[in-house]
């Protein structure tokens, strides 16, 4: 690689067009393969794609670079002779499609996509695991039909998608149940677990069931939802006792090894479980999903729960979205349709697909029990999902009681700040009076300010600092200390030693001696940690929409910046909206709202192709 190319890429890194990591990888490749000048440039581009959440670099992007990269980089892409890289030479491996047995290289060209070798292994391994697990298990269909009839209301005037989901998932080693807020994913899981336990009891077998989620907040909400749903369902005391109510984070489940990217559980030391229910699966990135599937016992079952329309994981990949990317409407194989009709006594036939069998593992919940025909939140979430900016505008103008829209002006910005300050001032005062950190933690779930950015007056940093200063002016605390009663804190780095993980939310409050500590609720138990022992963390008066995934709040204020940004996507807007259970205030401009509704995020990867096209 020439000095000119090196200096050019170094300048891009200094300008922030690429990461320093991308530049350093290009330097390394140039040193290893100096006779192929295009290879370092390709490595830089593939690495930069990972930073954007893409698993690979589709070759199609090289044909129209100006659509995807800044002008300086696009110009160099057009100049480069990419044909010189054809064939299996040097650091670039061109495998037989689907093969993972070839000798390692830095990069892989497969399905017209270029991967870093490690990510190609992740993707092919996940695809192979899912297709292998997407098989039926031996089931007593007559008994299943009887058990379904007991758990679900009969007869049906319309299709009960929860019943369909339970019937699908209980017969598979791998299944996905996807649905928006309030569609009954938790209720479905409770009934599904009851069916599974009854199956095993008929075989005189005990079962080891685990519940998990990507973050501490999501795990706590899953545990709470399972416990609440159990009390509402008419289950025998013996059966109810066998359904677990404790949930853990995915990292705790896998066993994080301090100062390492590895986990205690892997193929050599698999997890000890028969069935895993993983909630908020849209948050799980490709490498983590590969490690999880690798650590599952061969005969274990896994059920993924989530909303396919939410934001994808922060890191590379969109695993749940790829799994749920069935062509057109979800339809089952003729054999599956016939079986479901017999098991569920469907009032109308399901759609059939003569070719795809992978869809037989999937279930989509379509009816919301939270948002009725008077809910603006429900309507606007649906309109955003459909990418209909005009419909979004109409819904806002109709004046639903649970949905408010404020144009982003200086006055409205100050109103948002005042509301947040009022909430946390009251929380702090109540906490000092009652000395009840548990009650205060529960109240944190009543309200949340969400935003899209990290920096600036419309981002987490600026909003948190502004609220802190206003609280200080009101006399909520004195001095410049960050530690005062009522301060909400969110963990941003995993600390296995303290059992605190990215996304865990705590609250500063005094203990019985008056000493300030940070209180967390984990599996229904309060625990306090000294502020000096906390891993990396932020104040959480304001929270990014990404960080809010897995959480729900009675009232949400969603504040978006006045200018358009690549970060403002349909998925981010939908995710922010659906964090609200009872009331939503959307504060932004009409221009930004329209642009975000119409901007759908597309992540590059080949998992959907490997799962769907390979089986057709």
């Amino acid at each position: 690689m020439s000095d000119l190319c090196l200096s050019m890429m170094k300048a891009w890194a200094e300008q922030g067009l690429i990461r320093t990591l991308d530049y350093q990888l290009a330097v390394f490749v140039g040193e290893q393969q100096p006779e192929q000048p295009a290879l370092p440039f390709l490595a830089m581009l593939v690495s930069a794609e990972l930073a954007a959440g893409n698993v690979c670099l589709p070759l199609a992007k090289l044909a129209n670079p100006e659509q995807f990269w800044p002008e300086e980089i696009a110009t160099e892409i057009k100049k480069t002779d990419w044909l010189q890289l054809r064939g299996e030479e040097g650091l670039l491996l061109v495998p037989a499609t689907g093969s993972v047995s070839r000798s390692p290289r830095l990069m892989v060209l497969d399905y017209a996509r270029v991967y870093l070798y490690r990510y190609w292994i992740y993707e092919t391994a996940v695809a192979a695991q899912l297709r292998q697990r997407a098989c039926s298990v031996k089931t007593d269909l007559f008994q299943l039909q009887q058990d379904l009839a007991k758990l679900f209301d009969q007869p049906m005037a319309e299709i009960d998608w929860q019943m369909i989901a339970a019937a699908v998932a209980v017969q598979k080693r791998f299944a996905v149940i996807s649905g928006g807020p309030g569609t009954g994913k938790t209720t479905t899981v409770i009934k599904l677990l009851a069916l599974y336990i009854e199956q095993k009891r008929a075989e005189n077998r005990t079962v080891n069931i685990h519940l998990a989620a990507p973050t501490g907040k999501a795990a706590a909400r899953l545990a709470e939802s399972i416990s609440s749903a159990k009390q509402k369902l008419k289950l025998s005391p013996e059966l109810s006792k066998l359904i677990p109510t404790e949930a853990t984070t995915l990292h705790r489940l896998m066993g994080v090894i301090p100062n390492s990217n590895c986990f205690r559980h892997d193929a050599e030391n698999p997890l000890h479980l028969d069935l895993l229910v993983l909630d908020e699966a849209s948050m799980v990135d490709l490498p983590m999903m590969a490690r999880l599937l690798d650590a599952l016992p061969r005969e274990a079952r896994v059920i993924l729960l989530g909303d396919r329309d939410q934001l994808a994981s922060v890191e590379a990949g969109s695993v749940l979205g790829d799994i749920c990317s069935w062509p057109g409407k979800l339809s089952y194989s003729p054999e599956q349709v016939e079986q479901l009709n017999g098991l569920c006594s469907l009032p109308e036939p399901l759609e059939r697909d003569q070719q795809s069998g992978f869809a037989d593992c999937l279930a989509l919940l379509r009816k919301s029990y939270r948002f009725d025909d008077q809910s603006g939140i429900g309507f606007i979430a649906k309109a955003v999902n459909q990418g209909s900016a005009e419909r979004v505008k109409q819904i806002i103008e109709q004046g639903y009681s649970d949905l408010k829209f404020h144009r982003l002006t200086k006055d409205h910005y100050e109103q948002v700040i005042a509301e947040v300050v009022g909430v946390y001032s009251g929380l702090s005062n109540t906490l000092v009076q009652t000395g009840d950190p548990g009650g205060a933690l529960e109240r944190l779930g009543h309200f949340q300010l969400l935003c899209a950015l990290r920096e600036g007056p419309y981002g987490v940093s600026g909003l948190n600092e502004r609220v802190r200063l206003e609280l200080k002016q009101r006399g909520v605390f004195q001095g410049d200390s960050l530690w005062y009663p009522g301060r909400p804190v969110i963990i941003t780095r995993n600390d296995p030693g303290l059992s605190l993980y990215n996304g865990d939310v705590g609250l500063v409050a005094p203990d019985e001696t008056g000493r300030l500590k940070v209180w967390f609720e984990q599996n229904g138990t309060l625990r306090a940690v000294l502020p000096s022992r906390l891993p990396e963390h932020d104040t959480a008066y304001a929270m990014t929409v990404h960080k809010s995934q897995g959480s729900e709040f009675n009232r949400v204020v969603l504040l978006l910046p006045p200018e358009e940004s690549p970060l403002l996507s349909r998925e981010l807007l939908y995710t922010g909206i659906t964090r609200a259970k009872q009331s939503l205030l959307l504060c932004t401009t009409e221009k930004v709202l329209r642009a975000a509704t119409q901007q759908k995020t597309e992540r590059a990867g080949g998992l959907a192709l490997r799962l769907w096209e390979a089986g057709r």
Side-chain angles (χ1 to χ4, degrees), residues 27 37 224 230 399 526 615:
V27 172
E224 180 183 347
K230 274 177 62 172
L526 282 179

Side-chain angles (χ1 to χ4, degrees), residues 46 50 55-56 93 95-111 113-130 285-294 319 605-607 610:
V46 177
L50 285 175
V55 175
C56 59
L93 171 66
T97 299
S99 169
V100 294
S101 60
R102 307 292 290 273
S103 57
R105 295 290 192 277
L106 178 71
M107 292 182 288
V108 178
L109 174 60
D110 193 16
Y111 280 120
R113 296 167 172 84
V114 183
Y115 298 80
L116 291 183
Y117 182 80
R118 185 158 51 102
Y119 281 83
W120 178 67
I121 288 292
Y122 289 145
E123 185 176 279
T124 53
V126 168
Q129 280 268 15
L130 294 183
D285 58 53
L286 181 67
M288 190 64 189
M289 186 61 76
R291 292 179 173 120
L292 172 63
L293 294 173
D294 191 47
V319 178
L607 181 59
R610 298 177 198 277

Side-chain angles (χ1 to χ4, degrees), residues 495-516:
D495 188 333
L498 281 176
S499 291
L500 291 175
Y501 295 89
N502 188 3
D504 287 353
V505 175
L507 188 71
V508 179
D511 62 13
E512 63 276 5
T513 68
R515 190 178 190 184
L516 287 180

Side-chain angles (χ1 to χ4, degrees), residues 207-236:
V207 289
N208 188 359
I209 301 171
H210 282 251
L211 309 176
T215 67
K217 186 69 173 178
R221 193 168 67 84
L222 174 62
E224 180 183 347
S225 299
I226 292 284
S227 181
S228 176
K230 274 177 62 172
Q231 296 174 14
K232 296 175 183 177
L233 295 178
K234 297 177 181 179
L235 302 174
S236 68

